[in-house]
Amino acid sequence: MYKLSACCSMTCGISFQPKMVLPSLRVQKQGNGHCTNVPRNVNLEKLQNNYLFPEISKRELNHLDKYPNARVISLGIGDTTEPIPQKISLSMANYACALSTADGYRGYGAEQGNQLLLGSKVTIAVQDPSFPAYIDSSVIIGQAGDYQDKTGKYQNIEYMLCGPENNFFPDLATTPRTDIIFFCSPNNPTGHAATRTQLKQLVRFARDNGSIIIFDSAYAAYITDDSPKSIFEIPGAKEVAIEISSFSKFAGFTGVRLGWTVVPEELLFSSGFPVINDFNRIVCTCFNGASNIAQAGGLACLSSEGFQAIHSVIDYYKENAKILVETFASLGLKVYGGVNAPYVWVHFPGSNSWSVFTEILEKTHIITVPGSGFGPAGAEYIRISAFGHRERIIEASRRLENLFSKREALFNFVE
Amino acid sequence: MYKLSACCSMTCGISFQPKMVLPSLRVQKQGNGHCTNVPRNVNLEKLQNNYLFPEISKRELNHLDKYPNARVISLGIGDTTEPIPQKISLSMANYACALSTADGYRGYGAEQGNQLLLGSKVTIAVQDPSFPAYIDSSVIIGQAGDYQDKTGKYQNIEYMLCGPENNFFPDLATTPRTDIIFFCSPNNPTGHAATRTQLKQLVRFARDNGSIIIFDSAYAAYITDDSPKSIFEIPGAKEVAIEISSFSKFAGFTGVRLGWTVVPEELLFSSGFPVINDFNRIVCTCFNGASNIAQAGGLACLSSEGFQAIHSVIDYYKENAKILVETFASLGLKVYGGVNAPYVWVHFPGSNSWSVFTEILEKTHIITVPGSGFGPAGAEYIRISAFGHRERIIEASRRLENLFSKREALFNFVE
């Protein structure tokens, strides 16, 4: 239960057998096997449907069944595609090689990481739209109430609307206090990087309310303008913020798995107890550190040669984003993001984002992500990932132009 | 919050400033900084002291301050020391190298792992003694009551005594039902591998009670006799058990970080809902998989050449264990383990294990682990790790013989 694990389920497919269900009860899928007397985690019962990205993968597979010869282009899940610079891959290879020598062998490393820090009693706020793992993880840990079909929201979670109408920054004057504020900048999915003025307001808001900001800067390396790349560029942030980040999109480490967390020693719980102490305790007990080979790669990324090489790859993805932005803009659609982030956020007013997703997939064989997967505020949007080989991005742009220039009404996607 | 992370705290040391404390209250250490209004996770407030292994590392550093020229031998934390076979390290190096080529680059892998599955409402049982992370993690997630100084136990956790008096297997006739039974075999720290008869009783007990066994087989590769290496060797186990395991001690991957979990599709919650479905959902949302480089190494371990090479390393550690067992036995001490596990468990009747630990460290410069760190049943025991270079194991044996043959009373360690 407490180690980082790759998982081997004993079976690949799960078969269901419907059990007798009273008509007035929600249908409960039942497995074939032995019922223990262990109750299911009630927090997991609250969780809605499937996680967004596996759901999209499933739809991609269904599409391939239907069109086995289609040349599918995936601009859905934000997975990097370009090779890692050799400086960095060689560092990891050398580290791995050395593990078979007496001098080079290393066992356990320093024990750090993060999870479980805040428990189930805290209240949380998230940007709407935002990366679904913030909400889903909060639900799993028991911080949320029930899901409301009518609003598409969980109770006890504060959804902070971030759209073009407010320059993608919440109206803090009407935002209630919460213990925790998840804030991702540049935002996934909108691609908006909060300005310095916006982040100053956010830090002030957290200080006034005694809240903690969990600031996710995973896409900071994509910032083109002078937006802050870290919350700690804002004076006073050390007393109210934790920053989480990752080598995934910075260095193409989506499969290598490495990230970091900054917990300032100035950050204290209401009792005065330092947050860093609990963070350290949890990490030592439950995590035990990232792979030492991955860490060797991380260090190489921070060398001047590695850093420069990485930025060439980032520039490549940014050029992809520019191509996609221009494509949608030329079709008369409102396009956001793509300048400070590898995501392009396209508005289809009055549409249902799953319908747009389905039509684009059916007619162009391109995988995107429906905006509603990121929260109710994404209901009329589609997220396009700029990760991909250049020729496929260009081909995708051509197919999209072809679809939308032929289409009678651009905005008629409601099902 | 939800990524696997290496951690960089912004500061290395934490400075404390005592705040006004009423004499009747427990002293609350306070940090220098800004008190947010966010309450500390009450589960973390329950957690006792420091995690065992960082505490021992701290004592090792203190010892080095005191004796800067001492040649310290660490038989404490069970960290592997011998090189990884080249077949395996080269697989990882080749994988890492290929990441800088267009053909070899891979991003996200399959999303699997495990944590948070069972929530805070389940009741748990653990072997006493056992690896402290089972209890500590259960406390953090909110499954335990308060710590009782008098007994050295947390409320709401069932401690199943496993000592020489019951052949290291709990008296199930007097063990109350719990939802979850953590069971580690071969056990860390006692080194006892449960026999087939014992495991049949355990599976029967779980079936009768509708419990789920979390079976930790991390040391299975060290089994010398015909004890089962997996709980799934026992008929009926698929309906009542999850097995967790690791490449750490199997292949020296303590720093590489790779493990696996087996969740049978036959295992169902009381409602009939398959456990594997929730496991998969959590893993996809909160984990995202182990490093792909580490996984390349894991696959190489399972090739016939890799598997054979690994077992040579395991045999080396087992020979170390044999030397340590013989050393303690020759001194007239009762010694357990060391045959089916890389740990030797030595009884010092009537002693206090921290006193034994301290005396051994002071007089021989050898780091061990006090048994009480693994639960109250370890109060008179010391755990010796067999991971180490052969010459250091022999040197440690020589020093221990020297200490204990000179000592007037072997058993007088109470402070």
Side-chain angles (χ1 to χ4, degrees), chain A residues 31-358:
Chain A
N32 293 314
H34 162 89
C35 282
T36 62
N37 289 331
V38 178
R40 190 175 174 213
N41 184 345
V42 289
N43 298 322
L44 280 160
E45 289 190 358
K46 285 181 190 164
L47 206 55
Q48 288 305 297
N49 310 320
N50 287 322
Y51 186 58
L52 179 63
F53 297 106
E55 174 64 28
I56 287 170
S57 297
K58 204 176 73 185
R59 293 194 184 215
E60 180 171 355
L61 290 177
N62 290 347
H63 186 77
L64 280 170
D65 279 347
K66 198 167 158 188
Y67 303 100
N69 299 318
R71 287 177 50 244
V72 170
I73 298 178
S74 180
L75 305 180
I77 182 171
D79 193 5
T80 45
T81 58
E82 299 311 296
I84 290 173
Q86 205 174 43
K87 162 84 183 174
I88 294 150
S89 64
L90 281 180
S91 296
M92 294 193 283
N94 288 338
Y95 193 98
C97 274
L99 290 175
S100 66
T101 66
D103 284 348
Y105 183 73
R106 296 286 182 279
Y108 287 122
E111 296 141 325
Q112 262 93 33
N114 62 5
Q115 60 195 67
L116 292 170
L117 181 65
L118 300 155
S120 59
K121 307 291 184 201
V122 299
T123 53
I124 73 162
V126 294
Q127 289 157 294
D128 180 16
S130 67
F131 184 55
Y134 307 131
I135 288 179
D136 286 357
S137 298
S138 296
V139 172
I140 290 171
I141 213 165
Q143 294 164 342
D146 290 331
Y147 183 77
Q148 307 292 302
D149 279 325
K150 203 172 158 185
T151 59
K153 299 179 181 179
Y154 288 90
Q155 289 180 312
N156 304 345
I157 289 183
E158 184 57 34
Y159 290 71
M160 304 183 296
L161 180 71
C162 295
E165 61 272 39
N166 56 13
N167 195 18
F168 295 96
F169 190 75
D171 178 5
L172 296 176
T174 61
T175 301
R177 178 197 179 272
T178 57
D179 292 319
I180 304 302
I181 302 166
F182 285 105
F183 201 92
C184 178
S185 178
N187 181 266
N188 175 5
T190 69
H192 178 78
T195 65
R196 196 169 302 271
T197 306
Q198 288 177 336
L199 290 182
K200 279 182 183 170
Q201 290 169 25
L202 184 69
V203 166
R204 162 65 64 96
F205 181 73
R207 292 185 73 96
D208 290 349
N209 284 305
S211 304
I212 295 177
I213 301 164
I214 310 277
F215 189 79
D216 183 350
S217 62
Y219 298 94
Y222 290 82
I223 290 178
T224 303
D225 62 22
D226 63 350
S227 303
K229 294 187 177 181
S230 163
I231 190 72
F232 298 116
E233 291 186 32
I234 308 301
K238 278 188 189 174
E239 288 87 359
V240 293
I242 290 170
E243 185 161 321
I244 58 177
S245 201
S246 167
F247 285 86
S248 286
K249 309 302 165 69
F250 167 49
F253 273 30
T254 47
V256 174
R257 319 298 303 138
L258 192 69
W260 69 91
T261 302
V262 181
V263 183
E265 75 168 340
E266 291 88 343
L267 183 67
L268 311 177
F269 290 116
S270 51
S271 64
F273 193 87
V275 175
I276 183 67
N277 291 20
D278 277 352
F279 180 81
N280 189 55
R281 179 67 156 90
I282 289 175
V283 159
C284 292
T285 304
C286 307
F287 179 64
N288 253 344
S291 174
N292 48 17
I293 302 173
Q295 293 189 52
L299 286 174
C301 292
L302 302 178
S303 69
S304 65
E305 192 190 327
F307 199 74
Q308 202 177 342
I310 281 172
H311 276 85
S312 306
V313 182
I314 291 172
D315 287 343
Y316 179 93
Y317 292 131
K318 282 166 79 168
E319 180 64 23
N320 284 352
K322 196 172 164 225
I323 293 168
L324 291 165
V325 166
E326 285 168 359
T327 299
F328 285 105
S330 74
L331 292 163
L333 289 157
K334 282 275 186 197
V335 191
Y336 305 95
V339 176
N340 290 326
Y343 296 122
V344 179
W345 186 240
V346 187
H347 195 192
F348 294 84
S351 74
N352 168 319
S353 65
W354 276 107
S355 303
V356 184
F357 167 87
T358 303

Side-chain angles (χ1 to χ4, degrees), chain A residues 9-26:
Chain A
S9 159
M10 287 186 75
T11 53
C12 293
I14 310 289
S15 57
F16 289 105
Q17 184 181 26
K19 212 171 153 182
M20 191 185 68
V21 176
L22 296 178
S24 62
L25 294 178
R26 201 172 64 167

Side-chain angles (χ1 to χ4, degrees), chain A residues 1-11 13-16 28 30-41 44 47-51 78-84 86 89-90 92-93 96-97 99-102 105 107-108 112-119 136-138 177 179 182 209-210 212 214 216 238-240 244 249 252 254-257 259-262 265-266 268-274 276-279 281-282 284-293, chain B residues 1-11 13-16 28-41 44 47-49 51 78-84 86 89-90 92-93 96-97 99-102 105 107-108 112-119 136-138 177 179 182 209-210 212 214 216 238-240 244 249 252 254-257 259-262 265-266 268-273 276-279 281-282 284-293:
Chain A
M1 288 286 288
Y2 306 104
K3 297 200 180 73
L4 300 186
S5 302
C7 157
C8 315
S9 159
M10 287 186 75
T11 53
I14 310 289
S15 57
F16 289 105
Q28 177 88 55
Q30 305 288 333
N32 293 314
H34 162 89
C35 282
T36 62
N37 289 331
V38 178
R40 190 175 174 213
N41 184 345
L44 280 160
L47 206 55
Q48 288 305 297
N49 310 320
N50 287 322
Y51 186 58
D79 193 5
T80 45
T81 58
E82 299 311 296
I84 290 173
Q86 205 174 43
S89 64
L90 281 180
M92 294 193 283
C97 274
L99 290 175
S100 66
T101 66
Y105 183 73
Y108 287 122
Q112 262 93 33
N114 62 5
Q115 60 195 67
L116 292 170
L117 181 65
L118 300 155
D136 286 357
S137 298
S138 296
R177 178 197 179 272
D179 292 319
F182 285 105
N209 284 305
I212 295 177
I214 310 277
D216 183 350
K238 278 188 189 174
E239 288 87 359
V240 293
I244 58 177
K249 309 302 165 69
T254 47
V256 174
R257 319 298 303 138
W260 69 91
T261 302
V262 181
E265 75 168 340
E266 291 88 343
L268 311 177
F269 290 116
S270 51
S271 64
F273 193 87
I276 183 67
N277 291 20
D278 277 352
F279 180 81
R281 179 67 156 90
I282 289 175
C284 292
T285 304
C286 307
F287 179 64
N288 253 344
S291 174
N292 48 17
I293 302 173
Chain B
M1 285 286 289
Y2 305 104
K3 296 198 182 73
L4 301 184
S5 303
C7 158
C8 314
S9 160
M10 286 185 75
T11 53
I14 310 289
S15 58
F16 288 105
Q28 177 89 52
K29 285 189 174 171
Q30 305 288 334
N32 293 314
H34 163 87
C35 283
T36 61
N37 289 332
V38 178
R40 190 175 174 213
N41 184 345
L44 280 159
L47 207 56
Q48 289 305 297
N49 311 320
Y51 186 58
D79 193 6
T80 45
T81 58
E82 299 311 296
I84 289 174
Q86 205 174 44
S89 65
L90 281 180
M92 294 192 283
C97 275
L99 289 176
S100 66
T101 66
Y105 182 72
Y108 286 122
Q112 261 94 29
N114 61 7
Q115 63 195 61
L116 292 171
L117 182 64
L118 300 154
D136 286 357
S137 299
S138 296
R177 179 197 178 273
D179 292 318
F182 284 105
N209 284 305
I212 295 176
I214 309 276
D216 182 349
K238 278 187 190 174
E239 287 87 1
V240 293
I244 58 177
K249 309 301 166 68
T254 47
V256 175
R257 318 299 302 139
W260 69 91
T261 303
V262 181
E265 76 168 339
E266 292 88 343
L268 310 177
F269 289 116
S270 52
S271 64
F273 192 86
I276 182 68
N277 291 21
D278 278 351
F279 180 81
R281 178 68 156 92
I282 289 176
C284 291
T285 305
C286 307
F287 180 63
N288 253 344
S291 174
N292 48 15
I293 302 173

Side-chain angles (χ1 to χ4, degrees), chain A residues 387-401:
Chain A
F387 295 114
H389 303 312
R390 179 67 43 77
E391 67 277 14
R392 310 208 82 188
I393 299 289
I394 292 170
E395 167 69 14
S397 291
R398 199 193 52 72
R399 290 189 202 169
L400 289 162
E401 278 166 359

